[in-house]
Amino acid sequence: MRKTIVPVLILLLIGSVSLCAQDLKEKYVVGFYNLENLFDVYDDPEKNDEEFLPDGANKWTEVKYEKKLHNIARVIEAMARRNGMFHTILGVSEIENRRVLEDLVSQPEIAAAGYRIVHYDSPDMRGVDVAMLYRPDKFEYIYSESIPFTMEGYEDFKTRDILMVYGRISGEEFAVYVAHLPSRVGGKGGDLRSRGAEIIREHSLGVMEEHPGIKVIVMGDMNDDPFNESMCEVLGGRLDPDDVEEPEDMFNPFWRMLNDGFGSNAYQNVWSVFDQILVNGSLLNAEDGTLKLCRSGRKGYYATIFRKPFMVTKKGQYKNNPHRTFSYGAFMDGYSDHFPTFITIGK
């Protein structure tokens, strides 16, 4: 794939814009983006990628793949312009392999971020994984772990592993979880997503016990809304930040946004926020002078659902929905069927 230096003008614009509501000495953006089936054009006999081949159902050619990469990079660049900086951490889902991420981070729109990749192949039946991109000048990577999905009675069920990355931002310890919980397609029950949330919760409690005061971020396409059992009861995400009293308690800033009518994805024109980012009490209620969750969105929200006109379908069946890549196999030249989400932390 081609590699080009980002024009100097773009870098100057990114460096000159700051829209954070608070006067911060340090600011970091942490986000998540479902990339909607970012597959390469090569056959992998170990994965179910037949639809995404030049002779497959989607007629997935090199030209379409390059356009998809450009489109995704354009969204990431637009977020950087809005925030005055590239994401420090960007979790992603629905990616086929490490190669597609290497191609993505080398796109001219975002190459200047210098993103590095944390990725593991997982046993998902569709052949898609989760991963994390990070800026090494902002996030100090220490180690990572791929946590398998296991559930009694579902030994043959294969889905995405959960990624955990441990590192430091500004010298402070962070554990970041990236998940893509089991889909609702085919009538899959909420018990599968609750089990996924339980795996994250149990693992994160162990990390918090081992590293007292560590700041935990859980992100992903949860295939559930903040009010569903998996998120509010199992993972423990609270609607009101005042209810987050202990370091291990979790706050879900997207719950209030959903209640106010915002969404990151839609099905039959009903909006949901499956693309969530939760934080623990240690990050929400951090001491002054240390990194904490900031109000960065409109109306005092602690989170942002990023939506620009170019990312929205203008007409037809999906009017006003995210401008997607495919519709029943037809190439729509879009971005994703999900809007990206992000939070801001700072001090």
Side-chain angles (χ1 to χ4, degrees):
M1 299 298 158
R2 62 187 183 277
K3 296 184 180 181
T4 311
I5 299 175
V6 175
V8 173
L9 177 60
I10 292 176
L11 295 179
L12 291 175
L13 286 170
I14 290 173
S16 65
V17 179
S18 180
L19 298 179
C20 187
Q22 295 154 302
D23 184 16
L24 301 172
K25 294 180 181 178
E26 297 182 25
K27 172 187 165 185
Y28 306 89
V29 180
V30 177
F32 174 78
Y33 198 6
N34 179 322
L35 302 186
E36 191 200 1
N37 295 318
L38 182 55
F39 280 75
D40 62 29
V41 298
Y42 309 108
D43 184 24
D44 183 344
E46 300 298 321
K47 292 191 174 183
N48 183 18
D49 63 354
E50 287 75 17
E51 288 183 293
F52 293 91
L53 297 173
D55 59 352
N58 292 321
K59 306 297 182 185
W60 191 235
T61 64
E62 187 78 19
V63 171
K64 292 177 182 177
Y65 174 57
E66 287 277 4
K67 193 66 170 68
K68 170 83 170 180
L69 292 170
H70 164 74
N71 287 352
I72 293 297
R74 181 186 179 192
V75 174
I76 296 172
E77 180 199 21
M79 288 190 283
R81 288 175 178 271
R82 187 268 188 203
N83 292 315
M85 62 184 66
F86 284 110
H87 287 66
T88 295
I89 291 170
L90 179 61
V92 294
S93 69
E94 291 201 16
I95 55 101
E96 182 184 10
N97 50 39
R98 185 182 181 91
R99 178 193 289 124
V100 299
L101 294 177
E102 291 172 347
D103 291 342
L104 175 62
V105 301
S106 68
Q107 293 297 298
E109 296 86 354
I110 63 174
Y115 282 122
R116 293 185 182 172
I117 300 164
V118 185
H119 167 261
Y120 295 85
D121 284 313
S122 64
D124 179 71
M125 292 182 290
R126 289 181 52 231
V128 293
D129 305 324
V130 299
M132 192 183 97
L133 309 180
Y134 70 95
R135 289 177 53 183
D137 60 327
K138 300 293 184 181
F139 179 80
E140 179 190 356
Y141 171 88
I142 298 176
Y143 73 86
S144 59
E145 182 179 349
S146 187
I147 308 166
F149 180 96
T150 58
M151 184 173 179
E152 186 175 353
Y154 288 83
E155 286 76 16
D156 294 330
F157 178 69
K158 305 298 182 184
T159 190
R160 283 78 57 175
D161 290 347
I162 298 157
L163 175 64
M164 191 285 294
V165 182
Y166 170 80
R168 295 189 181 94
I169 301 175
S170 191
E172 299 181 24
E173 290 182 297
F174 278 79
V176 181
Y177 292 82
V178 185
H180 186 181
L181 297 186
S183 165
R184 295 181 172 217
V185 174
K188 295 186 181 72
D191 56 336
L192 290 169
R193 293 180 290 281
S194 289
R195 174 54 184 155
E198 182 181 43
I199 292 169
I200 297 169
R201 185 60 175 160
E202 290 177 348
H203 193 282
S204 64
L205 287 173
V207 169
M208 286 185 271
E209 182 177 1
E210 184 178 354
H211 302 273
I214 192 170
K215 295 172 178 180
V216 175
I217 300 173
V218 178
M219 66 173 71
D221 178 350
M222 305 304 185
N223 275 305
D224 267 340
D225 276 310
F227 57 78
N228 287 126
E229 178 181 320
S230 64
M231 295 293 100
C232 68
E233 296 184 24
V234 181
L235 196 52
R238 311 287 172 81
L239 166 65
D240 191 335
D242 291 337
D243 291 336
V244 179
E245 300 176 349
E246 302 298 329
E248 65 273 14
D249 291 343
M250 302 295 294
F251 170 55
N252 192 335
F254 292 93
W255 195 338
R256 180 186 159 201
M257 297 187 75
L258 179 63
N259 287 351
D260 289 348
F262 294 95
S264 66
N265 61 291
Y267 179 67
Q268 296 182 346
N269 292 315
V270 176
W271 285 94
S272 294
V273 183
F274 287 177
D275 308 272
Q276 299 165 46
I277 306 171
L278 297 86
V279 303
N280 72 340
S282 293
L283 182 54
L284 177 67
N285 300 318
E287 296 179 359
D288 290 342
T290 66
L291 294 174
K292 66 188 305 180
L293 182 66
C294 301
R295 295 182 187 271
S296 61
R298 297 177 179 178
K299 300 181 181 179
Y301 295 127
Y302 283 95
T304 300
I305 299 170
F306 188 72
R307 170 179 174 150
K308 291 292 184 183
F310 73 87
M311 300 164 59
V312 180
T313 305
K314 301 300 188 293
K315 60 184 179 179
Q317 177 182 356
Y318 300 109
K319 184 178 179 180
N320 297 323
N321 290 359
H323 188 187
R324 58 202 298 143
T325 307
F326 290 100
S327 175
Y328 299 101
F331 184 59
M332 305 296 288
D333 193 19
Y335 304 84
S336 172
D337 54 354
H338 292 244
F339 292 132
T341 56
F342 61 80
I343 60 172
T344 301
I345 59 176
K347 62 181 177 180

